[in-house]
Amino acid sequence: MSVRSLRSRLVDAPDSWGARRREARARWLGEAFPDLANMSVIDLGGRLDTWLRAPVRPKHVHVVNLEPMSGDLPEWADLDYGDACGLPAHIARRRYDLVFSNSVLEHVGGHERRLRFAESVHSLADAHWVQTPYRFFPVEPHWLAPGMQFLPTAGRAWLAQRWPLAHSPARDRLDATRSVLWTELLDRTQLRFYFPDSTIRSERFLGMTKSLIACRASNA
């Protein structure tokens, strides 16, 4: 088995372990918000594919992302280019039933921007579901490298340039350094600071916390 096919079997393929974990998380979302099918949802930093394959699709989904996306939009979705840490006025003044974000908070760029991200979440809806990988899970989830998150920046950049299970190997050292500096995993104390009124849920694997979810229902 090649290294690339190993990564695919682990996290990327539709029948991979990672895909099964995402499906389980989607079911958990539906259980946390039983009226999801009737809700308007803003997805900060997400992709439309998440909702195309979701077991329960909200009544309306508004995806906001800094990465350009193309393709035909279904009638139940909107797509906007925008920074979740400083939303354009035409988005910031809207209200939704639920703010959703999956594996984005660790990429926004430091404490100050995480505060702004949390402010966006709190201002857009009373309810939210914000997931982020847990810093102390032994395998760094973006590169699938054991303990990588605990290395100094130079060590992480070196590994990012060479580790065979990376999703997209870095082109050079500058690209590798840029990638690791834009990836900062959070612990439970940090997430609770940004979302003090939320329930902090743990997604577990083999008894260990793999990711954290700040969840708040509108009637909480």
Side-chain angles (χ1 to χ4, degrees), residues 134 136-138 188 201-205 207-212:
Y134 182 49
F136 294 104
F137 187 69
R188 188 180 300 272
R201 299 185 172 190
S202 297
E203 180 186 13
R204 297 184 182 276
F205 175 68
M208 298 178 289
T209 298
K210 177 184 175 294
S211 69
L212 301 171

Side-chain angles (χ1 to χ4, degrees), residues 38-206:
N38 298 314
M39 298 174 81
S40 63
V41 175
I42 183 167
D43 184 341
L44 297 179
R47 294 184 177 277
L48 189 59
D49 288 351
T50 298
W51 304 103
L52 289 171
R53 61 174 180 256
V56 178
R57 191 182 69 221
K59 182 178 181 180
H60 186 266
V61 176
H62 187 180
V63 177
V64 179
N65 202 309
L66 281 172
E67 297 181 0
M69 290 176 280
S70 59
D72 296 332
L73 282 177
E75 61 181 13
W76 48 267
D78 284 326
L79 183 61
D80 259 307
Y81 177 88
D83 182 356
C85 302
L87 291 168
H90 73 279
I91 300 175
R93 61 172 171 255
R94 293 179 62 175
R95 291 284 292 175
Y96 301 83
D97 297 319
L98 174 68
V99 179
F100 175 90
S101 181
N102 187 75
S103 295
V104 174
L105 188 58
E106 71 273 18
H107 295 299
V108 299
H111 170 63
E112 191 273 337
R113 282 180 54 82
R114 288 194 293 268
L115 279 174
R116 290 167 57 189
F117 181 95
E119 289 170 0
S120 294
V121 171
H122 296 311
S123 68
L124 290 166
D126 293 331
H128 57 252
W129 173 279
V130 178
Q131 182 271 353
T132 189
Y134 182 49
R135 174 172 173 76
F136 294 104
F137 187 69
V139 178
E140 205 293 330
H142 304 90
W143 284 271
L144 301 184
M148 179 179 174
Q149 65 270 37
F150 306 119
L151 296 175
T153 302
R156 286 186 289 145
W158 184 92
L159 201 58
Q161 198 173 349
R162 295 166 176 82
W163 188 249
L165 290 177
H167 181 270
S168 300
R171 297 184 299 274
D172 51 35
R173 185 166 183 80
L174 179 62
D175 186 40
T177 303
R178 182 184 298 111
S179 295
V180 300
L181 288 175
W182 276 105
T183 305
E184 186 177 355
L185 302 184
L186 282 71
D187 62 24
R188 188 180 300 272
T189 299
Q190 289 171 294
L191 192 64
R192 189 173 296 283
F193 180 84
Y194 301 126
F195 300 98
D197 298 323
S198 306
T199 298
I200 307 300
R201 299 185 172 190
S202 297
E203 180 186 13
R204 297 184 182 276
F205 175 68
L206 297 178

